[in-house]
Amino acid sequence: MLLKLHKLCGKHERYLSTSLAASQSFRKWYQQLWTTKRTNMPPYGHFTQIGDPVLRDRAAVVPAECVDSKEVHAIVDQMVHVLRKYDCVGIAAPQIGVSLRIIAMEFRRSIKQDLSEASYKARQMSELPLTVLINPKLTVTNYTKHKHPEGCMSVRGFSADVERYEGVKISGVNRQGAHTELVLSGWNARIAQHEMDHLDGKLYTDHMDRSTFTCTCWEAVNTKSGRVEIPFYK
Ligand code: CO
């Protein structure tokens, strides 16, 4: 950690403040997120974007004694708030600038309305109630791979085909610290694999089919003579 701090000193100040250094107590680290003079500190109300060092760090384990704390609850609440605000299906804590092993997933019925029945079926989509997992662990239960277009709110405005396993088992603890285990298949298994990658500093662009990397608004760029913007806020 010392080497890392030395290397990054001055260059990525925010990165330093969002990483849980081994020498810091969780509470002390959390406190400085809120007491600093900076105007916008994590947990953010927006998604961090590719290039942000927080998305490349291996997120820290949440200490067991801190799972059911007001600090972790506030981070989880903010994750759920951002997940729903941006109308997406999964979020990992580094995506709001917090380098901790926490994910939230939710596949709401309303998302189905924006998709054709054919693609909903082809992608093996199904509803998934809000699931928060702290310190999650994933094991593959079905090694059949499926390739589908995938996006990420931290790679805003793009998508690409990504291969994912068909079935996984994911376990961790919930907000109250109770052991939680889920068996997922199809699209929900994909969401779990995608969010787990975030905790290890990986993005889908690391293992996508590069030839399929697509700007999601490329057609609008043509029809609107280039007058198209990708918003990072909502
Ligand atoms: Co993502």
Side-chain angles (χ1 to χ4, degrees):
M1 198 64 200
L2 269 177
L3 181 72
K4 207 178 205 175
L5 289 171
H6 175 72
K7 246 170 74 181
L8 291 164
C9 197
K11 241 179 129 187
H12 298 293
E13 281 171 16
R14 192 186 49 76
Y15 172 79
L16 290 178
S17 64
T18 56
S19 288
L20 180 58
S23 56
Q24 278 178 302
S25 81
F26 176 81
R27 265 172 218 284
K28 216 170 135 194
W29 167 81
Y30 183 84
Q31 232 167 25
Q32 54 91 34
L33 290 183
W34 300 94
T35 53
T36 177
K37 282 190 189 110
R38 294 178 77 108
T39 52
N40 198 24
M41 290 296 291
Y44 296 132
H46 65 269
F47 279 92
T48 53
Q49 293 300 307
I50 185 168
D52 190 325
V54 76
L55 290 171
R56 290 306 189 181
D57 205 5
R58 188 179 156 79
V61 169
V62 179
E65 65 274 21
C66 300
V67 167
D68 194 8
S69 66
K70 73 173 189 337
E71 292 88 352
V72 169
H73 287 177
I75 292 167
V76 170
D77 287 347
Q78 181 74 329
M79 286 171 67
V80 174
H81 170 71
V82 173
L83 171 84
R84 289 178 171 164
K85 184 165 77 165
Y86 284 80
D87 214 18
C88 51
V89 292
I91 188 168
Q95 292 187 282
I96 57 164
V98 177
S99 196
L100 288 175
R101 304 188 79 78
I102 311 173
I103 64 168
M105 307 180 286
E106 183 179 40
F107 199 103
R108 293 178 301 283
R109 187 174 300 180
S110 59
I111 294 169
K112 190 180 178 182
Q113 289 156 9
D114 301 331
L115 296 158
S116 70
E117 191 63 37
S119 68
Y120 192 85
K121 277 214 172 104
R123 296 174 191 187
Q124 296 175 264
M125 287 170 163
S126 58
E127 282 177 46
L128 177 69
L130 177 66
T131 306
V132 172
L133 288 170
I134 298 167
N135 301 333
K137 291 211 158 50
L138 182 140
T139 49
V140 178
T141 53
N142 184 336
Y143 283 88
T144 308
K145 280 183 170 177
H146 295 282
K147 200 183 208 182
H148 288 295
E150 192 174 302
C152 176
M153 296 307 281
S154 293
V155 189
R156 198 82 166 106
F158 294 89
S159 77
D161 288 355
V162 181
E163 269 191 340
R164 298 283 186 192
Y165 297 115
E166 184 174 319
V168 300
K169 189 174 82 178
I170 191 163
S171 60
V173 294
N174 67 11
R175 275 192 247 211
Q176 284 73 41
H179 180 78
T180 307
E181 196 172 287
L182 278 152
V183 176
L184 301 170
S185 64
W187 200 262
N188 291 336
R190 175 175 292 268
I191 298 168
Q193 290 166 77
H194 179 115
E195 302 312 330
M196 286 301 293
D197 276 354
H198 275 302
L199 303 185
D200 294 329
K202 283 188 266 174
L203 297 167
Y204 81 79
T205 50
D206 301 343
H207 51 106
M208 65 181 178
D209 175 344
R210 287 175 296 179
S211 66
T212 65
F213 190 55
T214 302
C215 173
T216 52
C217 54
W218 68 267
E219 283 170 298
V221 168
N222 295 338
T223 56
K224 296 186 176 175
S225 305
R227 288 185 190 86
V228 181
E229 281 166 18
I230 299 169
F232 294 97
Y233 60 88
K234 201 141 189 192

